Amino acid sequence: FALAAFPVFAASAAEKNYTELAKQVARVIRQILFLVIPSMIIMVILRAQMVRVAYGTGKFNWENTGLTADVLGILILSLAAQCIMLVVIRALYALQDTWITFWVSSLGVLLTIFVGYFGKTHFGLIGLAGSLSLCLIIQCAVLWMVLRHKLGSLYESSILIALAKISLASAAMALVAQTVKAPVASVVDMTRLWGILSQGLISGTLGVLVYLGVCSALGLEEITLFWESFQKRWLKVKVMPEKIEG
C-alpha cells in the first residue's frame, strides 16, 4: 500500500494540495486497518497452530512452541503500527522531508536497544519482544504527530469511525474462530501436522467469513473497495473479439 500510494502522495504534494494529500493518507490507512487488524487478531488466536506447523518437528517440543507462540503474539501487537508508519514515511518523503524520518528512525533504534536490554534483563525473551513492539508503536506515534503538524489534519475522525466498525467485526471474527477451535480439535488428530493445520484453516476461514459479513452489514466502505479490487484483479473476464482479422 505504501509503495503503491507514493506516486499519488507525490502528485498531491507537488501541487501543494495538502488537503488532498491528507485525505489520501487517511484513505490508505483505513484500507490498511481493514486488512491488518483482523490479520493480527487471527494470528494471535492461531499463533500456537502457526508455530507448531512451521517448527513442530524434531526437538522443538510443546514448551518451545508455547514460548515461541507467546513471543510471536507480542510482536504481532505492533504490526498495525509498522504498516501505518510506512505510509506516514512515504507521505513525508512526498513532502521532501527526509531528515525528520532519518532522525526519528535513528532515535527509535537507540530507544529499542536500551529498552530491549532492560526488557531482556528483567523479563527474558518476552520482555525483549515487548520492548521491540513498544518502541515501534512509539516511533509510529511520533512520525504521525510530525505529519499531522505539517498537514494540519489527517482526518482522524474518518479513521476512528472505520476502526470502530473494523474492531466490532474483528471481535465477532475472534469469537467464532476461538469457539470453533475446540470442536475441530475433538475431531482431528492434534498430534499430527494435518490435524493442527486443519484446525487452524477451518477456524481461520470461518472467522474471516464472519468478519467480511459483519463489515458488509455495517456498510464499511473499505470492503466495497476491496471487493472491487478483487474483481478487477482476480475475476477479470476478457471479452474475446467476435471476428479475428487477418
Side-chain angles (χ1 to χ4, degrees):
F1 279 100
L3 287 174
F6 180 70
V8 180
F9 292 171
S12 297
E15 297 172 358
K16 298 189 183 300
N17 190 349
Y18 300 130
T19 300
E20 181 61 24
L21 175 58
K23 289 181 179 179
Q24 291 291 344
V25 170
R27 185 176 298 113
V28 173
I29 289 176
R30 292 198 305 269
Q31 293 174 1
I32 287 176
L33 292 175
F34 169 72
L35 296 174
V36 172
I37 295 296
S39 299
M40 290 171 57
I41 293 176
I42 208 71
M43 284 192 290
V44 169
I45 292 175
L46 301 176
R47 65 188 186 278
Q49 287 79 1
M50 293 168 57
V51 172
R52 197 62 188 169
V53 168
Y55 302 107
T57 58
K59 296 182 179 180
F60 200 89
N61 55 33
W62 279 104
E63 181 180 354
N64 302 136
T65 299
L67 179 59
T68 305
D70 290 341
V71 171
L72 177 61
I74 294 174
L75 291 175
I76 288 171
L77 296 178
S78 64
L79 184 58
Q82 294 180 58
C83 295
I84 292 173
M85 185 164 56
L86 292 175
V87 176
V88 173
I89 288 174
R90 292 303 187 281
L92 289 171
Y93 284 169
L95 293 170
Q96 299 183 355
D97 190 343
T98 56
W99 277 108
I100 190 66
T101 58
F102 169 76
W103 286 115
V104 172
S105 299
S106 299
L107 292 174
V109 170
L110 293 176
L111 179 65
T112 302
I113 293 173
F114 286 111
V115 177
Y117 177 78
F118 175 83
K120 175 64 170 62
T121 302
H122 292 82
F123 304 102
L125 288 177
I126 300 296
L128 182 61
S131 301
L132 178 59
S133 287
L134 176 62
C135 291
L136 287 170
I137 293 171
I138 292 174
Q139 187 175 338
C140 176
V142 172
L143 288 170
W144 179 282
M145 289 187 291
V146 170
L147 182 61
R148 192 182 193 284
H149 176 73
K150 288 181 174 294
L151 298 181
S153 172
L154 290 177
Y155 294 90
E156 286 89 346
S157 58
S158 67
I159 296 175
L160 290 175
I161 292 173
L163 180 60
K165 295 180 180 180
I166 291 169
S167 299
L168 182 60
S170 297
M173 178 194 67
L175 179 62
V176 170
Q178 187 65 29
T179 303
V180 170
K181 281 170 60 177
V184 174
S186 64
V187 175
V188 301
D189 185 358
M190 293 299 293
T191 63
R192 300 286 186 178
L193 174 63
W194 69 267
I196 299 172
L197 182 61
S198 298
Q199 185 196 39
L201 287 176
I202 294 172
S203 302
T205 301
L206 290 176
V208 169
L209 291 175
V210 169
Y211 172 75
L212 295 176
V214 174
C215 285
S216 180
L218 293 174
L220 188 67
E221 179 185 357
E222 282 64 38
I223 193 170
T224 303
L225 297 174
F226 171 77
W227 177 241
E228 291 176 354
S229 176
F230 178 79
Q231 286 179 310
K232 291 178 181 179
R233 184 178 296 271
W234 301 108
L235 301 180
K236 186 176 181 180
V237 179
K238 294 184 178 180
V239 179
M240 299 299 293
E242 297 180 358
K243 183 178 179 181
I244 300 176
E245 299 180 357

